[in-house]
Amino acid sequence: MLRLTKRTEYGLIALVHMAELAAARPAEAEAEVISARAIGDIFPVPKRMLAEALKHLQQGGILESTRGVRGGYRLSRPADQVSLGEIVSILEGPPTLTSCAGLGAASSDGGCDVEPVCPIRSPLARLRTGIWTLFEGVTLQALADRSADPTGLFSATG
Amino acid sequence: MLRLTKRTEYGLIALVHMAELAAARPAEAEAEVISARAIGDIFPVPKRMLAEALKHLQQGGILESTRGVRGGYRLSRPADQVSLGEIVSILEGPPTLTSCAGLGAASSDGGCDVEPVCPIRSPLARLRTGIWTLFEGVTLQALADRSADPTGLFSATG
DNA sequence: GAAAAGAGCACTAAACTAGTGCTGATTAAA
DNA sequence: TTTAATCAGCACTAGTTTAGTGCTCTTTTC
């Protein structure tokens, strides 16, 4: 039912928390690292899964990691330069909607028998683009600003 | 990865096909019924799964069924009065995005330990609304019009 | 009747998800 | 130099979901 995985949820919780910490700091101050353990102590989520998510986010370039005692993670970019699309894409791949509507188009269509006569391929591909656009337009900053509408669809500027 | 199920795909294929048939007919003409077998003969999809999808769509009120020889299904409403949101909602439930962000809000939150301190509940609920709005805004008619943008997000009127 | 078609229930196999176990590498601090 | 905190990597299990099939029953036209 168009659901994000738990790992993505945990990753998002951690990222939003880091963005909130950053917002509470003077803009010039360097971001301090925060360990997976520390985040897991704050939010009652399975610590190992949380660590998995953080690891992936590091590999995806959203987080920087420091190892060893007093190590941890921090955002590698300001929160307003990280999109939800990028986060979700790293943690569970880009939204595909259907098996045949991958971003790369033709490459992933090999296995679909319907493709030559499929009446929904093209419209669903456009719909997927719409969803993707929505995700790309939501920044981590917007997610962390709890009172705001992250999509911008319902605010005055829309 | 935010993917629709196969059953939903098959249901959409059938519905779009019916909408195309309707478009090729004079507006006043009554829609003829088309059997699950006939649709399955046109598109190379598992016939039984297709039948499952059609059955659900009938139960959901989008299709009318006629039993017996020469029976089958037809749209119970014009294609421009059926939204993709309604279709998806019938075939796999409304998009929830996260386990705790159900449409009914509080009722489905019982099992979430994070809820009291969750930093992403509210923003994700708004994002879910955005996706839902997108789905609600796409009509079956728009899906059947292959050259058009079903979301309306990228057309001149947007 | 016979055959075509939908309605309903139950079942299996494969894939995915959530979560855990364990070991290794790196680094600050005692 | 030892210790402990922390990230990094691999593999494994159990539960759930998804895809697809089997079978029977009812309805309706011919």
Side-chain angles (χ1 to χ4, degrees):
Chain A
M1 321 136 185
L2 294 168
R3 186 177 288 193
L4 300 173
T5 64
K6 288 287 179 186
R7 195 174 70 179
T8 301
E9 283 186 44
Y10 300 152
L12 280 172
I13 287 174
L15 287 174
V16 167
H17 181 65
M18 291 190 209
E20 287 177 343
L21 290 182
R25 225 184 350 250
E28 285 72 30
E30 178 93 330
E32 312 135 28
V33 300
I34 182 168
S35 70
R37 162 186 292 258
I39 299 175
D41 284 339
I42 298 173
F43 305 103
V45 301
K47 291 189 168 54
R48 283 289 304 275
M49 292 232 71
L50 177 63
E52 284 288 313
L54 294 172
K55 205 191 316 182
H56 279 257
L57 289 168
Q58 185 273 326
Q59 290 166 342
I62 288 181
L63 294 179
E64 288 175 352
S65 65
T66 310
R67 292 167 72 156
V69 176
R70 310 220 28 199
Y73 296 96
R74 68 176 166 195
L75 292 172
S76 59
R77 271 171 279 153
D80 60 358
Q81 290 170 36
V82 179
S83 77
L84 178 63
E86 185 179 2
I87 298 168
V88 171
S89 190
I90 288 169
L91 289 174
E92 55 188 275
T96 53
L97 209 59
T98 55
S99 49
C100 66
L103 288 169
S107 64
S108 53
D109 302 346
C112 179
D113 296 335
V114 187
E115 196 259 328
V117 291
C118 185
I120 61 171
R121 202 172 106 78
S122 170
L124 283 192
R126 279 191 286 265
L127 178 66
R128 177 187 47 66
T129 302
I131 294 177
W132 187 236
T133 301
L134 198 61
F135 274 64
E136 288 282 283
V138 176
T139 67
L140 179 55
Q141 178 85 65
L143 286 175
D145 185 359
R146 298 199 200 185
S147 62
D149 165 28
T151 69
L153 290 177
F154 311 111
S155 59
T157 62
Chain B
M1 321 138 186
L2 293 169
R3 183 178 290 193
L4 299 173
T5 64
K6 287 289 180 185
R7 194 173 71 180
T8 301
E9 283 187 43
Y10 301 153
L12 280 173
I13 287 174
L15 286 174
V16 167
H17 182 64
M18 291 188 209
E20 288 177 342
L21 289 182
R25 225 185 350 252
E28 286 71 29
E30 178 92 331
E32 313 135 26
V33 300
I34 181 169
S35 69
R37 164 186 290 258
I39 298 174
D41 284 340
I42 298 173
F43 305 102
V45 301
K47 291 188 169 53
R48 283 289 304 278
M49 291 230 71
L50 177 63
E52 284 287 313
L54 294 172
K55 203 193 314 184
H56 278 257
L57 290 169
Q58 185 272 325
Q59 290 167 341
I62 287 182
L63 294 179
E64 288 174 351
S65 66
T66 310
R67 291 167 72 154
V69 177
R70 308 224 27 203
Y73 295 95
R74 69 176 165 194
L75 292 171
S76 59
R77 270 173 279 153
D80 60 0
Q81 290 171 36
V82 179
S83 77
L84 178 63
E86 185 179 2
I87 297 169
V88 171
S89 191
I90 288 170
L91 289 173
E92 57 188 273
T96 52
L97 209 57
T98 55
S99 50
C100 67
L103 288 169
S107 62
S108 53
D109 301 345
C112 180
D113 297 334
V114 186
E115 196 260 327
V117 291
C118 186
I120 62 172
R121 202 174 105 78
S122 169
L124 283 191
R126 280 191 285 266
L127 178 66
R128 178 187 46 66
T129 301
I131 295 177
W132 187 236
T133 301
L134 198 61
F135 274 65
E136 287 281 282
V138 176
T139 67
L140 179 55
Q141 179 84 63
L143 286 174
D145 185 358
R146 298 198 201 186
S147 62
D149 165 28
T151 69
L153 290 177
F154 311 110
S155 59
T157 63

